[in-house]
């Protein structure tokens, strides 16, 4: 969870007897986790930990391992501060000057909304998001739909992608591109 500029981690306790606590490790996650650093000085005895030293806008990866008799066990899977990708994006032409976008909710804790991007169709496959897409909203959209006023009279298809935004200000990867198709 991302709350108030910190990252709150929680996990399920290991069922093995003799576990005295857990160690928490953090790494920069741009683009992949590198150089994990232990955050706690002594094993955490519960199943929660808050990283108050995390910087908003920075993507991190976390791993947790159990400690038994001073020896660390296997690491957990990676936990990321970047939200999961948005799925189910659909663009439907409502009028020659209006496109309605809708998508499935990203139910992760800390999700603050969504960003919507538009380009000429197929742009996502030829270059990075920032090169050909234009962000349509100034603040994260909290609804699961967005109406784009765009003139489709040029008969050129438009491509749309949606990203989730979390409390840390990080965006997910893009949804699969959804496309409007012009009338012949």
């Amino acid at each position: 969870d991302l709350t108030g500029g910190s990252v709150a981690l929680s996990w399920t306790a290991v069922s093995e007897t003799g576990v005295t606590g857990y160690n928490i490790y953090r790494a920069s996650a741009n683009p992949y986790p590198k150089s994990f650093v232990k955050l706690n000085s002594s094993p955490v005895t519960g199943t929660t930990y808050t990283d108050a030293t995390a910087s908003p806008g920075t993507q991190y990866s976390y791993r947790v391992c159990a400690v038994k008799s001073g020896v660390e066990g296997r690491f957990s899977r990676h936990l990321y501060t970047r939200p999961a990708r948005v799925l189910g994006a659909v663009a439907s032409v409502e009028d020659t000057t209006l496109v309605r976008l809708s998508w499935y909710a990203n139910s992760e804790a800390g999700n603050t909304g969504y960003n919507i991007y538009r380009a000429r169709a197929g742009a996502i496959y030829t270059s990075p998001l920032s090169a050909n897409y234009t962000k349509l909203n100034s603040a994260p959209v909290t609804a699961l739909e967005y109406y784009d006023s765009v003139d489709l009279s040029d008969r050129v298809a438009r491509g749309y992608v949606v990203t989730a935004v979390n409390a840390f200000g990080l965006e997910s990867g893009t949804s699969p591109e959804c496309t409007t198709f012009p009338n012949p």
Side-chain angles (χ1 to χ4, degrees):
D1 289 349
L2 303 171
T3 54
S6 63
V7 178
L9 303 170
S10 63
W11 56 91
T12 304
V14 174
S15 59
E16 187 177 335
T17 59
V19 170
T20 56
Y22 302 88
N23 285 335
I24 294 83
Y25 289 82
R26 178 182 77 192
S28 170
N30 268 339
Y32 298 103
K34 299 175 185 169
S35 304
F36 277 92
V37 175
K38 188 168 130 181
L39 296 177
N40 52 306
S41 57
S42 59
V44 173
T45 56
T47 58
T48 62
Y49 180 83
T50 299
D51 180 7
T53 64
S55 298
T58 303
Q59 184 179 338
Y60 295 110
S61 175
Y62 293 89
R63 296 190 92 178
V64 177
C65 66
V67 178
K68 180 178 179 180
S69 301
V71 177
E72 292 184 332
R74 293 175 45 194
F75 280 105
S76 67
R77 65 181 177 85
H78 291 258
L79 305 168
Y80 294 96
T81 54
R82 182 176 181 179
R85 190 177 303 263
V86 174
L87 298 174
V90 174
S92 54
V93 177
E94 302 288 313
D95 191 287
T96 57
T97 59
L98 188 65
V99 175
R100 177 184 180 266
L101 288 116
S102 60
W103 54 90
Y104 298 142
N106 178 326
S107 58
E108 290 181 354
N111 186 36
T112 60
Y114 305 90
N115 285 331
I116 294 82
Y117 295 87
R118 175 187 67 214
R120 289 181 172 257
I124 193 170
Y125 302 111
T126 60
S127 63
L129 177 64
S130 60
N132 290 320
Y133 275 82
T134 301
K135 184 176 170 187
L136 300 179
N137 53 301
S138 57
V141 173
T142 57
L144 295 176
E145 66 180 1
Y146 181 86
Y147 288 90
D148 180 25
S149 297
V150 59
D151 184 5
L152 300 173
S153 65
D154 62 4
R155 302 168 86 178
V156 174
R158 302 302 194 280
Y160 293 89
V161 293
V162 180
T163 63
V165 181
N166 66 21
F168 239 39
L170 296 170
E171 282 186 279
S172 67
T174 61
S175 67
E177 184 181 49
C178 55
T179 308
T180 64
F181 293 97
N183 290 328

